[in-house]
Amino acid sequence: MTYEILLAGFGGQGILFAGKLLAYCALFEGKEISWLPSYGPEMRGGKCNCSVTISDEPIGSPQVLEPDLLVVLNGPSFDAFMGNVKPGGKAFVDSSMVAQKTDRTDIETFYVPATQLADDNNLAKGANIVLLGKLLHETGIFSFETVRKALEKNTPAKRAHTIDNNMRALQLGADYAG
Amino acid sequence: MAVKFQRPHSLCDVRLHYCAGCTHGIIHRLVAEVIDEMGIEGTTVGVCPVGCSVFAYNYFNCDMIEAPHGRAPAVATGVKRARPDLNVFTYQGDGDLAAIGTAETVHAATRGENIVVIFVNNGTYGMTGGQMAPTTLPGQVTTTSPYGRDPKTAGYPVRVCEMLSTLSGTALAVRTAVDSVPHIRETKKMIRKAFENQQRGNGFSIVEVLSTCPSNWGLTPKESIKRLQEECIPYYPLGVYKDVEIAEANADLLAMGGAAK
Amino acid sequence: MEKVLMKGNEALAEAAIRAGCKCFFGYPITPQTELSEYLAKQMPKRGGVFLQAESEVAAINMVLGAAGTGTRVMTSSSSPGISLKSEGISYIAGSDVPCLIVNVERGGPGLGSIQPSQQDYWQATKGLGHGDFHLIILAPNSVQEVVNLVTKAFDLGEKYRMPVMLLSDGLLGQMMEPVEFPEITPSQADNSAWAACGTKMEREHHIVNSLYIEALDLEEQVKRRYERYAKIEETEAMAETYLCEDADIIVTAFGATSRVAKSAVNKARAEGIKAGLFRPITLWPFPKAELNAACKNAKAVLSVEMNMGQMIDDVKLALDCRLPVSFFGRTGGVVPSPKEVLEELRKLNGGAQ
């Protein structure tokens, strides 16, 4: 089993963090993993994407160019990457940020108004986690308990209160039927 | 018969390569005497520059490291940070310290690097044959300022002690000369003070020694001393530009949150 | 020990501390940033020295000073910074003192780009400064191998009294992978014969120096250094081979690019193309004998690099041009894709039959 996952959006949308959570989940389950950020000189607001490969085999190239699973949080990323999803793959789109729709029928696309859902539930900046919740719900690659462990590992003590918020965001995504 | 005068132990028993009348010999001896008198030869590491004193590693009996041109304060920083128990000094000329090594000099000083810098200033690049140095005086003829240094095109000489005395990390910045017995004695006193500063962890200490270069100045040794007194010292006034206990002098800055040096 | 997820840069820094590195001198530059930031945090807590110098030039000379005292010391930078360090690297090599230099390569020339590249192959293996000298160049291709090679780098440097470079790149530095830190007890080689750390009035003074005013003395010194180099070439070359035994086409690639190449080789095998991968782990010494052995059944060689073709020179020299060697690479910070490499393999396979 190999999952090649690409997460993309603007800097500051928590792209790398969401990718990191997936990577940690895989670590807890003893998988081979590579997590690779694209990096730019702009600290915030630049183009940002993150390649995560999870596999039972040693991983070759860590760059995910043709993802099995794509998570997009902005329009430019949608335009750039929707065409690259492997046939049979799945795409998770923040429809509050992306107006476009794909005409591809060989992939499954889930439009989730993640930013809107997060804002409506006092979970500002939680769109990344909402989409992650949808991804986990649709693929079942990791359980929510595993994600909680990953959150605990990646949340500094002084921000521990955000763990429950993130779990709520995860559930919102999972429950969204759109 | 009691021995009244002999080679300091920390000076090697070898023939120096310096030209007749060059004052490097005096300054080497002063440094060696201080090392002997403080009993620190076995725990001292010297760093030589590129320039006339490049071979100083053959003359001092303590362990020595030869640095790239201008980098002696960085090399000395590496030695001192790796081994704070060692006494570390650099021995540098004006081209080395005040031109190519300006950044290393200024930053070692501003970090309050706990080292001793012996700065021999004779206003010329001696080793390469008398080119214009950062400390060459206005109007002075050298091989690369053949019509005399013109500040309009070649800029002005650098007054190193004055510049470094503005930095909070500098504990001691003093300019002396080796033109007369009283000045030579004063120079030794200041070199000792610099090493004592280091032992107390007081920060960056620089002793600038105005010196001569008879060969490249085109003067006899005696005439060179006269020029040093009549032309150089007036442009580079002797004296103590800074002499502080770092902790006291920087009390305000340290109170603002900096870790104590 | 349990596996942890770490970026290549951070894992390298942690491995250096565990390997007994006592001093780090550096200057900020992307994409090696995480390495120095990690050490800035950890070194003071773990009995080491972290110092941010005023320039790369100063940093490498601080390394010279600390190395001169016989202390385990390192610096890290990225391509433009390594150019600045080359002066000091030449002096360190000429003074026969050991240290570790890390280059997390980025695109060039000039300010170039901050994306991954392997454009410093020539610089690392042939031109790290003026004069006749070599560095041992280690080129890991995973975060785990970065960790494993750090200890080896320090040990090799001390064994042969020379600087060692670990050649990483932006991709390897920024990538996170699970990594395990082997239990090691750092053992520093005896340096009492040369280190300038105070005579204690018990011995002749030591001089750490690269200046020899007599040409014959310098020649003698350089020749002795080359005797050591010969021994290193004989005994220290390292390489990994993958599916080379029956391969018609051997792909040569190092560092991060070798992972792309491996993906391409796997895809090619799935199509029935008999491809294999040869990956030098030491770039100097270049694993010549190992390459020849790996190519014993090959009809063609393809050098894949993140540059315009640099290692290919060493591949051709090692093979004495007995096989056709072609090149595929992307440059400027662009990472080649497995697909592109596969396309090259398809072309070569057609040509070879």
Side-chain angles (χ1 to χ4, degrees), chain A residues 61-101:
Chain A
S61 174
Q63 270 199 324
V64 173
L65 302 170
E66 294 173 355
D68 300 297
L69 304 173
L70 174 70
V71 176
V72 285
L73 279 91
N74 69 2
S77 301
F78 183 95
D79 293 338
F81 301 121
M82 277 303 276
N84 301 346
V85 180
K86 270 188 208 130
K90 295 182 168 70
F92 302 87
V93 180
D94 182 351
S95 55
S96 340
M97 300 296 289
V98 180
Q100 302 94 306
K101 295 269 188 275

XYZ file of all heavy atoms in Angstrom, chain A residues 61-101:
300
model
N 11.460 8.800 -4.790
C 11.332 10.253 -4.845
C 10.285 10.739 -3.846
O 9.163 10.249 -3.836
C 10.933 10.689 -6.245
O 10.676 12.083 -6.237
N 10.627 11.687 -3.015
C 9.669 12.191 -2.022
C 8.732 13.252 -2.594
O 7.824 13.694 -1.906
C 10.567 12.806 -0.950
C 11.794 13.230 -1.684
C 11.963 12.283 -2.844
N 8.950 13.653 -3.832
C 8.073 14.662 -4.423
C 6.809 13.996 -4.937
O 6.888 13.068 -5.743
C 8.768 15.335 -5.604
C 9.556 16.552 -5.218
C 9.830 17.429 -6.420
O 10.056 16.937 -7.521
N 9.820 18.733 -6.219
N 5.673 14.484 -4.493
C 4.406 13.932 -4.989
C 3.965 14.783 -6.170
O 3.561 15.932 -6.014
C 3.341 13.923 -3.879
C 1.994 13.499 -4.460
C 3.756 12.979 -2.761
N 4.089 14.205 -7.350
C 3.722 14.941 -8.565
C 2.361 14.501 -9.069
O 1.627 15.272 -9.679
C 4.787 14.719 -9.647
C 6.207 15.149 -9.224
C 7.239 14.675 -10.229
C 6.280 16.667 -9.063
N 2.020 13.226 -8.825
C 0.713 12.701 -9.227
C 0.056 12.073 -8.017
O 0.190 10.878 -7.758
C 0.885 11.676 -10.356
C 1.410 12.312 -11.623
C 1.749 11.288 -12.692
O 1.669 10.074 -12.411
O 2.104 11.707 -13.802
N -0.651 12.889 -7.243
C -1.156 12.402 -5.955
C -2.306 11.399 -6.083
O -3.106 11.480 -7.023
C -1.640 13.680 -5.262
C -1.909 14.650 -6.363
C -0.950 14.310 -7.467
N -2.348 10.469 -5.120
C -3.539 9.647 -4.951
C -4.608 10.483 -4.259
O -5.796 10.332 -4.524
C -3.226 8.430 -4.065
C -2.151 7.554 -4.647
O -2.377 7.006 -5.733
O -1.069 7.442 -4.021
N -4.142 11.326 -3.327
C -5.062 12.170 -2.565
C -4.560 13.605 -2.641
O -3.384 13.867 -2.394
C -5.089 11.735 -1.094
C -5.445 10.266 -0.827
C -5.272 9.937 0.656
C -6.879 9.973 -1.286
N -5.476 14.511 -3.006
C -5.099 15.923 -3.090
C -5.985 16.735 -2.161
O -7.198 16.554 -2.125
C -5.277 16.416 -4.537
C -5.070 17.920 -4.777
C -3.607 18.306 -4.622
C -5.589 18.321 -6.168
N -5.357 17.643 -1.410
C -6.111 18.568 -0.564
C -5.772 19.970 -1.052
O -4.601 20.350 -1.056
C -5.709 18.406 0.918
C -6.418 19.441 1.791
C -6.022 16.995 1.411
N -6.792 20.739 -1.491
C -6.497 22.101 -1.962
C -7.289 23.140 -1.197
O -8.482 23.002 -0.984
C -6.736 22.305 -3.479
C -5.640 21.663 -4.290
C -8.079 21.830 -3.922
N -6.590 24.195 -0.805
C -7.207 25.244 -0.014
C -7.256 26.588 -0.713
O -7.618 27.583 -0.109
C -6.495 25.387 1.343
C -6.927 24.359 2.403
C -6.044 23.136 2.354
C -6.949 24.966 3.790
N -6.832 26.644 -1.969
C -7.012 27.912 -2.696
C -7.116 27.677 -4.203
O -6.787 26.585 -4.704
C -5.917 28.927 -2.344
C -4.561 28.520 -2.883
O -4.422 27.501 -3.559
N -3.565 29.315 -2.569
N -7.571 28.714 -4.881
C -7.817 28.622 -6.315
C -6.583 28.289 -7.144
O -6.619 27.375 -7.978
N -5.498 29.022 -6.931
C -4.299 28.733 -7.732
C -3.840 27.277 -7.596
O -3.411 26.668 -8.585
C -3.252 29.690 -7.133
C -4.045 30.819 -6.552
C -5.337 30.214 -6.072
N -3.962 26.706 -6.404
C -3.545 25.314 -6.217
C -4.490 24.362 -6.945
O -4.068 23.346 -7.496
C -3.520 24.949 -4.723
O -2.636 25.780 -4.033
N -5.766 24.727 -6.936
C -6.757 23.925 -7.656
C -6.371 23.862 -9.133
O -6.285 22.787 -9.728
C -8.147 24.556 -7.480
C -9.264 23.785 -8.127
C -10.012 22.867 -7.389
C -9.592 23.978 -9.472
C -11.060 22.155 -7.980
C -10.625 23.273 -10.070
C -11.363 22.354 -9.326
N -6.104 25.049 -9.706
C -5.736 25.107 -11.127
C -4.444 24.329 -11.394
O -4.301 23.667 -12.413
C -5.532 26.562 -11.567
C -6.850 27.335 -11.528
O -7.925 26.677 -11.584
O -6.817 28.574 -11.423
N -3.525 24.421 -10.445
C -2.207 23.816 -10.672
C -2.227 22.294 -10.542
O -1.527 21.601 -11.268
C -1.187 24.411 -9.698
N -3.037 21.776 -9.628
C -2.855 20.368 -9.265
C -4.013 19.425 -9.585
O -3.820 18.216 -9.583
C -2.506 20.248 -7.771
C -1.250 20.985 -7.390
C -1.274 21.996 -6.437
C -0.032 20.667 -7.998
C -0.118 22.679 -6.092
C 1.129 21.349 -7.659
C 1.087 22.356 -6.702
N -5.219 19.971 -9.820
C -6.353 19.056 -10.029
C -6.116 18.108 -11.199
O -6.516 16.947 -11.162
C -7.648 19.855 -10.255
C -8.333 20.308 -8.980
S -8.756 18.972 -7.837
C -10.317 18.428 -8.535
N -5.439 18.629 -12.220
C -5.183 17.799 -13.401
C -4.184 16.673 -13.150
O -4.067 15.752 -13.963
N -3.456 16.765 -12.038
C -2.386 15.788 -11.791
C -2.814 14.587 -10.960
O -2.045 13.644 -10.783
C -1.212 16.454 -11.074
C -0.623 17.607 -11.871
O -0.917 17.749 -13.053
N 0.177 18.426 -11.227
N -4.036 14.670 -10.396
C -4.481 13.568 -9.529
C -4.566 12.284 -10.344
O -5.057 12.289 -11.481
C -5.859 13.887 -8.898
C -6.330 12.737 -8.005
C -5.791 15.190 -8.095
N -4.052 11.199 -9.747
C -4.080 9.912 -10.448
C -5.535 9.500 -10.725
O -6.395 9.692 -9.856
C -3.454 8.828 -9.560
C -1.968 8.669 -9.765
C -1.445 7.452 -9.007
C -0.004 7.666 -8.643
N 0.303 7.406 -7.241
N -5.812 8.927 -11.875
C -7.156 8.407 -12.114
C -7.531 7.451 -10.972
O -6.700 6.642 -10.552
C -7.009 7.641 -13.436
C -5.828 8.282 -14.109
C -4.912 8.724 -13.019
N -8.726 7.604 -10.482
C -9.145 6.781 -9.347
C -8.815 7.425 -8.012
O -9.187 6.924 -6.962
N -8.119 8.564 -8.077
C -7.733 9.260 -6.842
C -8.859 10.122 -6.298
O -9.965 10.166 -6.871
N -8.577 10.783 -5.179
C -9.591 11.618 -4.534
C -9.027 13.018 -4.312
O -7.845 13.172 -3.988
C -9.994 11.026 -3.185
C -10.695 9.667 -3.269
C -11.097 9.201 -1.865
C -12.047 8.001 -1.924
N -11.393 6.762 -2.390
N -9.927 14.014 -4.484
C -9.522 15.397 -4.228
C -10.456 16.007 -3.188
O -11.663 15.755 -3.215
C -9.549 16.201 -5.516
N -9.894 16.800 -2.285
C -10.658 17.444 -1.214
C -10.438 18.946 -1.353
O -9.327 19.431 -1.209
C -10.215 16.918 0.148
C -10.369 15.423 0.242
C -9.345 14.564 -0.194
C -11.549 14.865 0.699
C -9.503 13.192 -0.142
C -11.719 13.479 0.752
C -10.701 12.642 0.331
N -11.532 19.660 -1.670
C -11.410 21.058 -2.062
C -12.141 21.942 -1.054
O -13.295 21.663 -0.706
C -12.032 21.260 -3.467
C -11.913 22.713 -3.899
C -11.381 20.324 -4.476
N -11.457 22.993 -0.581
C -12.122 23.974 0.279
C -12.957 24.891 -0.614
O -12.444 25.824 -1.222
C -11.081 24.783 1.062
C -11.743 25.776 2.012
O -12.990 25.955 1.929
O -11.022 26.368 2.836
N -14.272 24.598 -0.678
C -15.120 25.326 -1.625
C -15.422 26.738 -1.149
O -15.979 27.537 -1.897
C -16.413 24.542 -1.893
O -17.062 24.259 -0.671
N -15.061 27.078 0.099
C -15.197 28.492 0.487
C -14.100 29.327 -0.145
O -14.221 30.538 -0.257
C -15.107 28.694 2.009
O -15.352 27.537 2.729
N -13.011 28.695 -0.518
C -11.866 29.421 -1.070
C -11.738 29.219 -2.579
O -11.074 29.980 -3.252
C -10.564 28.947 -0.400
C -10.509 29.141 1.101
S -10.544 30.889 1.551
C -8.911 31.390 1.020
N -12.336 28.130 -3.075
C -12.154 27.771 -4.475
C -13.501 27.813 -5.183
O -14.418 27.077 -4.809
C -11.553 26.344 -4.599
C -11.368 25.958 -6.059
C -10.237 26.237 -3.826
N -13.605 28.699 -6.180
C -14.872 28.824 -6.905
C -14.986 27.771 -8.006
O -16.086 27.389 -8.398
C -14.983 30.227 -7.500
N -13.843 27.319 -8.484
C -13.828 26.422 -9.637
C -14.390 25.040 -9.289
O -14.400 24.623 -8.135
C -12.389 26.218 -10.154
C -11.665 27.483 -10.570
C -10.832 28.068 -9.449
O -11.368 28.310 -8.357
N -9.555 28.316 -9.692
N -14.847 24.363 -10.363
C -15.241 22.948 -10.240
C -14.467 22.180 -11.295
O -14.167 22.711 -12.365
C -16.745 22.777 -10.501
C -17.635 23.463 -9.451
C -17.976 22.503 -8.322
C -19.010 23.071 -7.374
N -18.442 23.919 -6.311
